[in-house]
Amino acid sequence: MDRQGNIINPSQDPQLPKETVLNYYQKMTLLNTMDRILYESQRQGRISFYMTNYGEEGTHIGSASALDPNDLVFGQYREAGVLMYRGFPLDLFMAQCYANADDLGKGRQMPVHYGCKDLNFVTISSPLATQIPQAVGAAYAFKRQNMNRAVICYFGEGAASEGDAHAGFNFSATLECPLIFFCRNNGYAISTPTNEQYRGDGIAARGPGYGMLSIRVDGNDVFAVYNATKEARRRAVAENQPFLIEAMTYRIGHHSTSDDSSAYRSVDEVNYWDKQDHPISRLRHYMTARGWWSEDDERSWRKQSRKTVMEAFEKAEKRLKPNPELLFTDVYDEMIPTLNKQKESMWRHVQQYKEHYPVDLYEK
């Protein structure tokens, strides 16, 4: 699909039904709306941190839709759309970012570190690329158990420079694991551009050196991403071999709320990708040309999606924080003496300096 939403090669058109394409668009734009509201909430001091997904929505939705729901996902930290496509509700996205009592992680993680066992999405870890060898181990276990499941592991081109990436690529190939390595090459590893990140031909070119099949795909074309991921999954499961996908896209937003990307790239560069080559506008052109989407549909959906996000946002903000005693759970089956002492010490401290600890804001 080109930038005007035209199918370039009819033989590569996945011929997805209208309902599926509309779901793609609604998930991509809902993610975009959630990003805008949570980004602003961080700027207002309501949450501590946030990372947007602007410009990379096509890589999320295209790949997620090509997987089986039982496939295991290891994300890096910019794959919220994958989890959203699998059915993770807005209430839980908000609960995680606000670290409230509804958060599945019980308030222990910083914002955007989502995870959901029921949806086969492994909790995000901040250290870069640690998920890569972990994904290999999970895929090897699936192979040993003959489970007909695949693992997909997302990472950026910057993470591909970590030693964990080399270890993961090599082990997955030699152990013949049903694993999809999905690299989101978005142009920048925080502030490091790709021309300073590597001298070779990107990330896909590394695959043959490890004995892996690889492909480079237009990450702003949601159908191309779907086709590549679908075939990669078929081969991974049927042939027990890893597959490396490099999706070329662009990170329109700052790396995170701790970053100011104007220090290392121009406004004109960002505006070009935002206005001329955005995965959401490509898909909208495609739908409009088929009579599947109109200006009235757009206005109605934008209004509805913003209302839905704001309702979840307001609910999360009013919710109590998790019980502080959860700090000491989920490590040992039974509380050990040293943890009991720490818990008692914490409560003594809170009582001594209670003017600094608003315990009424926490669940009892």
Side-chain angles (χ1 to χ4, degrees), residues 328 331-342:
F328 305 97
V331 177
Y332 296 96
D333 184 43
E334 296 181 7
M335 192 78 74
I336 62 173
T338 52
L339 279 181
N340 270 319
K341 288 181 180 179
Q342 290 177 35

Side-chain angles (χ1 to χ4, degrees), residues 226-243:
Y226 169 82
N227 286 342
T229 310
K230 185 177 180 181
E231 176 62 14
R233 188 200 181 274
R234 185 193 69 78
R235 287 178 178 251
V237 173
E239 303 169 10
N240 272 327
Q241 63 172 317
F243 202 110

Side-chain angles (χ1 to χ4, degrees), residues 81-308:
V82 176
L83 196 50
M84 182 176 283
Y85 189 85
R86 288 196 162 195
F88 200 65
L90 285 171
D91 285 345
L92 290 182
F93 277 114
M94 297 293 176
Q96 198 284 325
C97 288
Y98 272 90
N100 69 27
D102 295 328
D103 174 26
L104 299 181
K106 303 179 183 178
R108 295 168 177 150
Q109 284 267 41
M110 64 188 293
V112 309
H113 288 54
Y114 311 111
C116 182
K117 184 177 181 180
D118 291 343
L119 297 176
N120 296 302
F121 192 101
V122 179
T123 304
I124 303 299
S125 293
S126 281
L128 204 61
T130 54
Q131 76 276 15
I132 298 177
Q134 293 165 3
V136 177
Y140 185 52
F142 287 174
K143 174 188 173 182
R144 293 287 301 269
Q145 295 171 326
N146 195 26
M147 298 183 71
N148 198 38
R149 294 172 69 186
V151 175
I152 187 167
C153 180
Y154 293 90
F155 55 96
E157 83 285 349
S161 294
E162 293 282 344
D164 280 347
H166 162 71
F169 294 164
N170 196 45
F171 269 111
S172 67
T174 56
L175 294 174
E176 299 178 328
C177 300
L179 174 59
I180 304 163
F181 290 111
F182 194 102
C183 176
R184 298 174 293 93
N185 190 333
N186 63 16
Y188 291 90
I190 308 184
S191 60
T192 304
T194 53
N195 67 335
E196 295 179 18
Q197 189 68 241
Y198 49 73
R199 282 292 181 266
D201 183 18
I203 309 303
R206 301 179 191 180
Y210 291 99
M212 274 195 296
L213 294 171
S214 63
I215 186 171
R216 179 174 292 136
V217 65
D218 182 350
N220 290 350
D221 178 351
V222 68
F223 297 150
V225 174
Y226 169 82
N227 286 342
T229 310
K230 185 177 180 181
E231 176 62 14
R233 188 200 181 274
R234 185 193 69 78
R235 287 178 178 251
V237 173
E239 303 169 10
N240 272 327
Q241 63 172 317
F243 202 110
L244 173 61
I245 298 173
E246 181 181 19
M248 308 304 291
T249 183
Y250 188 81
R251 193 198 79 211
I252 291 173
H254 304 298
H255 171 74
S256 72
T257 49
S258 304
D259 174 46
D260 177 9
S261 63
S262 65
Y264 53 83
R265 60 181 183 177
S266 69
V267 174
D268 289 342
E269 176 184 318
V270 176
N271 284 340
Y272 168 81
W273 288 94
D274 190 22
K275 305 300 181 186
Q276 303 297 323
D277 192 8
H278 199 292
I280 291 177
S281 56
R282 279 202 204 188
L283 189 58
R284 184 179 175 187
H285 289 318
Y286 175 89
M287 296 190 303
T288 301
R290 282 155 182 75
W292 293 354
W293 198 253
S294 66
E295 286 294 335
D296 287 343
D297 292 326
E298 181 72 14
R299 282 191 293 270
S300 175
W301 168 244
R302 292 286 183 174
K303 183 178 179 181
Q304 177 190 338
S305 59
R306 180 173 176 79
K307 179 175 181 290
T308 305

